[in-house]
């Protein structure tokens, strides 16, 4: 089956599952272009830039600070829930739910929303991209290094993604297994693509936040190896042994073997050193304290934390656990920065990315709800203060004669143009010109005339 036939077949299968608005690119005339020719293969496809397996094995599974940063981001990120948020004249409204959210609540067998969010953020952190496909009513996580983004330009095929009419065709999923050559083409409405950090050299592809700090990670790994070597060699400063000129090379080799057997390694730490005639030992003056090892490694950890968008005190790095960083005010400010500048943009991004996979009501958008996240309990106090202020505002506006429903809508949308006045004034809400105590204006059954 040719490539164009595969595209047409994928379109037909997807249309049966869910109606969607196709761009003009998908008309019959646009399907006649020479697609993914050998001469422009690299230009019409975007793959992740880094070695995904290398990042996983050499960084994520081997570097404690990187693992801690990704774990903190993932644990907080995965606690959110998905909801629909109404839109009124472009302004956000209340949150509500429908049965369409079940796809995100149970994305796969025994899977939860937390599992889905954890996997997409983990892939995005390591590969810069996360892909989730909707296949037959179930979500499937696509390994990012097996996904290729396909694009094309009809007017300027040589420019591909750089052309003014460049369009996203879809995604090739190619499991790279030994002896297996298989590709599956997925249309854009079948795949949610989560790329929170755009790659400046690509058009749809994202980049990992680890890429700019590879040297910092290498330095941290080297520092860890240095510390390990320090303990493996006796947990004492290294020293220089000078032998007399009369010692032959063979004698020197035997002497070296005896020295390493009796004094090298943690098990030999603290032993008394006995030397024969003609040997002179000079300890080196550089040790862990003189190197200020804690400060050197701590500064590297802080630079990693800054790129990850996680304050050092939140993840528990040494520089975040000293001095004024530990007081309540600084910790609260650090947590608010982490939530407002890192987590909330990520939640908004994933909601927009997953929206094509679910049936979103016409008057709403896919959104997230963080009310049950334990990490944000202090934010709940701020929300309570805000709600108290809103309630006071609603009371004042209703007492001033505005229609209650319009008052609630205006306060929630933060748009005072939504206010509608009842035409009644003062706290008694009496029509203008009416005198208090006039029997003709009293409610029925009040013979006292209100006196």
């Amino acid at each position: 089956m040719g490539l164009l036939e595969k595209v047409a077949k994928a379109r037909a299968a997807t249309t049966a599952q869910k109606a969607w608005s196709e761009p003009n690119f998908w008309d019959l005339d646009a399907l006649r272009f020479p697609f993914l020719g050998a001469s422009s293969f690299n230009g019409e496809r975007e793959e992740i830039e880094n070695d995904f397996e290398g990042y996983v094995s050499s960084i994520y599974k081997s570097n404690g600070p990187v693992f801690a940063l990704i774990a903190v981001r993932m644990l907080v990120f995965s606690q959110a829930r998905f909801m629909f948020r109404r839109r009124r004249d472009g302004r956000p409204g209340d949150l509500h739910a429908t049965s369409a959210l079940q796809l995100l609540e149970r994305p796969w067998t025994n899977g939860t929303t937390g599992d889905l969010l954890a996997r997409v953020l983990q892939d995005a952190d390591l590969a810069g991209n996360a892909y989730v496909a909707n296949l037959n009513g179930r979500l499937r996580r696509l390994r990012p290094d097996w996904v290729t983004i396909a694009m094309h330009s009809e007017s300027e095929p040589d420019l591909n993604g750089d052309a003014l009419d460049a369009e996203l065709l879809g995604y090739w999923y190619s499991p790279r297994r030994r002896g297996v050559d298989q590709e599956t083409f997925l249309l854009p409405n079948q795949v949610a693509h989560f790329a929170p950090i755009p790659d400046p050299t690509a058009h749809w592809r994202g980049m990992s936040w680890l890429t700019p700090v590879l040297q910092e990670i290498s330095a941290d790994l080297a520092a860890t190896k240095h510390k390990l070597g320090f303990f493996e060699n006796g947990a004492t400063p290294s020293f220089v042994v000078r032998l007399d000129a009369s010692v032959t090379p063979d004698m020197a080799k035997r002497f070296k073997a005896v020295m390493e057997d009796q004094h090298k390694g943690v098990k030999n730490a603290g032993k008394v050193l006995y030397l024969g005639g003609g040997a002179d030992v000079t300890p080196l003056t550089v040790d862990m304290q003189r190197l200020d090892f804690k400060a050197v490694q701590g500064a590297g950890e802080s630079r990693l934390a800054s790129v990850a968008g996680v304050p050092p005190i939140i993840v528990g790095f040494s520089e975040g656990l000293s001095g004024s960083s530990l007081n309540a005010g600084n910790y609260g400010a650090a947590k608010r920065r982490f939530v407002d500048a890192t987590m909330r943009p990520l939640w908004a991004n994933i909601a927009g990315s997953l929206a094509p996979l679910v049936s979103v009501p016409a008057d709403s958008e896919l959104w997230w709800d963080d009310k049950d996240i334990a990490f944000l309990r202090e934010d709940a106090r701020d929300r309570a203060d805000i709600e108290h202020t809103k309630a006071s505002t609603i009371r004042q506006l209703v007492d001033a004669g505005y229609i209650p429903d319009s008052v609630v809508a205006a306060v929630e949308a933060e748009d005072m143009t939504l206010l509608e006045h009842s035409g009644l004034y003062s706290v008694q809400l009496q029509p203008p010109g009416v005198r208090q105590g006039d029997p003709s204006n009293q409610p029925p059954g009040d013979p006292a005339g209100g006196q």
Side-chain angles (χ1 to χ4, degrees):
M1 181 183 296
L3 188 53
L4 296 183
E5 289 79 4
K6 292 181 181 179
V7 174
K9 183 178 180 180
R11 290 182 59 216
T14 305
T15 303
Q17 296 177 7
K18 175 183 175 183
W20 65 300
S21 177
E22 298 177 343
N24 295 331
F25 177 77
W26 285 109
D27 60 25
L28 294 178
D29 291 337
L31 287 174
R32 298 195 183 101
F33 60 81
F35 183 53
L36 294 180
S39 61
S40 58
F41 178 84
N42 293 332
E44 292 186 349
R45 290 192 175 194
E46 285 184 357
E47 298 177 337
I48 66 171
E49 188 176 30
N50 58 290
D51 180 0
F52 180 66
E53 290 187 354
Y55 272 39
V56 171
S57 60
S58 301
I59 299 178
Y60 182 64
K61 294 183 178 181
S62 302
N63 186 271
V66 170
F67 179 86
L69 289 168
I70 293 179
V72 167
R73 287 162 54 94
M74 185 171 59
L75 291 173
V76 177
F77 183 76
S78 62
Q79 294 183 58
R81 297 183 303 160
F82 288 107
M83 300 284 284
F84 293 123
R85 186 173 71 172
R86 287 192 173 88
R87 304 285 293 183
R88 296 189 180 94
D89 298 327
R91 299 289 300 175
D94 60 300
L95 297 176
H96 64 101
T98 70
S99 59
L101 291 175
Q102 292 180 359
L103 181 64
L104 303 179
E105 295 169 354
R106 290 291 182 267
W108 48 74
T109 303
N110 295 334
T112 65
T113 300
D115 296 327
L116 171 63
L117 292 176
R119 294 309 297 262
V120 296
L121 187 64
Q122 187 182 61
D123 283 347
D125 282 352
L126 293 170
N129 302 267
Y131 304 93
V132 178
N134 184 357
L135 303 176
N136 301 321
R138 285 290 188 181
L139 298 186
R140 297 290 187 272
R141 173 250 182 183
L142 305 180
R143 182 167 151 165
D145 58 332
W146 290 354
V147 176
T148 299
I149 305 171
M151 69 197 78
H152 185 77
S153 166
E154 179 68 14
S155 63
E156 301 177 277
D158 293 337
L159 292 178
N160 300 306
D162 293 313
L164 294 178
D165 65 339
E167 293 287 349
L168 172 67
L169 295 180
Y171 304 87
W172 285 106
Y173 185 60
S174 309
R176 296 164 189 173
R177 294 173 292 177
R178 183 174 302 176
V180 177
D181 183 14
Q182 180 182 0
E183 284 188 335
T184 302
F185 185 76
L186 301 171
L187 297 175
N189 70 313
Q190 291 179 282
V191 178
H193 181 193
F194 177 55
I197 304 177
D199 188 336
T201 62
H203 302 277
W204 286 275
R205 185 182 66 202
M207 63 173 282
S208 169
W209 63 264
L210 296 170
T211 301
V213 289
L214 287 179
Q215 291 185 345
E216 293 291 340
I217 296 172
S218 297
D220 185 82
L221 290 172
T224 301
K225 291 181 179 179
H226 177 82
K227 179 172 60 177
L228 179 61
F230 177 81
F231 289 109
E232 286 180 343
N233 287 282
T236 59
S238 299
F239 46 80
V240 176
V241 178
R242 296 184 179 89
L243 299 178
D244 189 79
S246 62
V247 177
T248 65
D250 290 339
M251 295 171 60
K253 289 181 180 179
R254 291 196 300 269
F255 179 79
K256 176 177 177 293
V258 173
M259 282 283 293
E260 291 186 349
D261 178 65
Q262 296 183 1
H263 296 283
K264 184 177 181 179
V266 177
K267 63 180 181 179
N268 294 317
K271 281 187 175 181
V272 178
L273 179 63
Y274 298 97
L275 299 175
D280 177 32
V281 175
T282 304
L284 297 179
T285 57
V286 178
D287 57 18
M288 301 289 282
Q289 184 176 2
R290 294 174 185 271
L291 283 174
D292 201 1
F293 188 83
K294 179 180 178 181
V296 172
Q297 196 165 28
E301 291 173 349
S302 295
R303 284 191 286 269
L304 293 176
S306 66
V307 176
V310 183
I313 189 174
I314 299 298
V315 73
F317 286 165
S318 59
E319 288 199 348
L321 300 177
S322 60
S324 61
S325 299
L326 288 178
N327 67 50
N330 287 345
Y331 178 79
K335 188 165 73 169
R336 186 171 293 108
R337 184 260 175 237
F338 173 55
V339 173
D340 293 344
T342 301
M343 287 293 104
R344 296 190 190 280
L346 289 174
W347 282 323
N349 194 321
I350 190 60
S353 299
L354 292 173
L357 303 185
V358 297
S359 298
V360 181
D363 63 341
S364 303
E365 63 181 344
L366 184 63
W367 202 241
W368 47 272
D369 182 10
D370 62 354
K371 291 183 179 179
D372 296 327
I373 298 179
F375 188 75
L376 305 183
R377 282 175 180 167
E378 291 188 5
D379 288 356
R381 184 186 307 168
D382 296 337
R383 282 197 297 266
D385 293 339
I386 294 173
E387 293 301 319
H388 178 74
T389 302
K390 287 182 178 180
S392 299
T393 303
I394 291 173
R395 172 64 185 273
Q396 293 175 4
L397 292 172
V398 171
D399 288 350
Y402 290 96
I403 298 175
D405 289 344
S406 72
V407 171
V408 173
V411 171
E412 288 295 333
E414 299 180 2
D415 183 3
M416 291 301 172
T417 62
L418 299 178
L419 289 173
E420 298 179 17
H421 204 277
S422 63
L424 305 176
Y425 299 91
S426 81
V427 293
Q428 289 81 19
L429 302 183
Q430 297 181 6
V434 174
R435 293 181 300 172
Q436 185 176 4
D438 189 338
S440 64
N441 295 314
Q442 302 308 313
D446 187 5
Q451 300 297 325

